[in-house]
């Protein structure tokens, strides 16, 4: 029903920026809430930003001020702009979607999201 495909991950040095993209297709009702998660090695998935169908956004406190979420509805694409990257931003980054009208703020549970992309890796080195 919903297909998500991330891109843009890369190896960068600390302090640099990256922009991740997530192209979505399929049933629009099932992807009203779109989010970015990341998973560090040996850890669970952490929700870091969400955007609702009306454009309302929320960014987790852990990355607020450095990461920005946005979308281009005409392109069915969601973005994560990551600035001033740190070593501990190294992770696999995933986009996820569900049908919720409201994503909620600051915290998102992976189990609430039935649709996931394959992930794109981000490696930050010193």
């Amino acid at each position: 029903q919903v297909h998500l495909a991330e891109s843009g991950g890369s190896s960068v040095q600390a302090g640099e920026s990256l922009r991740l993209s997530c192209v979505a297709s399929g049933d629009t009702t099932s992807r009203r809430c779109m989010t970015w998660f990341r998973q560090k090695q040996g850890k669970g998935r952490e929700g870091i930003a969400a955007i609702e169908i009306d454009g309302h956004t929320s960014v987790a406190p852990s990355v607020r001020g450095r990461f920005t979420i946005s979308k281009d509805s005409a392109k069915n694409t969601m973005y994560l702009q990551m600035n001033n990257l740190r070593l501990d931003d190294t992770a696999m980054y995933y986009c996820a979607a569900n049908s919720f009208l409201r994503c909620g703020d600051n915290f998102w549970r992976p189990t609430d999201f039935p649709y996931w992309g394959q992930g794109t890796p981000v490696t930050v080195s010193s």
Side-chain angles (χ1 to χ4, degrees):
Q1 293 169 322
V2 174
H3 183 259
L4 303 172
E6 305 94 335
S7 63
S10 183
S11 295
V12 297
Q13 291 193 318
E16 294 185 341
S17 298
L18 275 179
R19 189 177 78 159
L20 307 183
S21 300
C22 172
V23 178
S25 61
D27 177 39
T28 53
T29 301
S30 297
R31 49 184 171 96
R32 289 184 290 204
C33 167
M34 298 281 293
T35 57
W36 285 101
F37 282 79
R38 67 183 179 185
Q39 187 167 20
K40 300 177 183 180
Q41 193 166 8
K43 304 289 187 181
R45 293 188 182 185
E46 170 195 12
I48 55 175
I51 187 164
E52 297 169 354
I53 193 167
D54 65 358
H56 174 76
T57 62
S58 180
V59 178
S62 60
V63 298
R64 194 173 295 157
R66 298 189 300 121
F67 290 12
T68 304
I69 187 171
S70 63
K71 65 176 180 177
D72 184 335
S73 296
K75 296 181 179 180
N76 288 315
T77 302
M78 176 177 68
Y79 303 99
L80 184 69
Q81 178 66 43
M82 305 187 295
N83 297 330
N84 191 21
L85 283 160
R86 303 170 180 170
L87 299 181
D88 67 356
D89 293 319
T90 295
M92 185 70 78
Y93 284 73
Y94 299 90
C95 61
N98 68 25
S99 62
F100 295 2
L101 280 173
R102 292 289 174 251
C103 296
D105 293 323
N106 301 327
F107 176 76
W108 303 277
R109 291 180 301 190
T111 52
D112 284 339
F113 293 85
Y115 304 108
W116 292 82
Q118 292 300 305
T120 187
V122 173
T123 302
V124 185
S125 60
S126 58

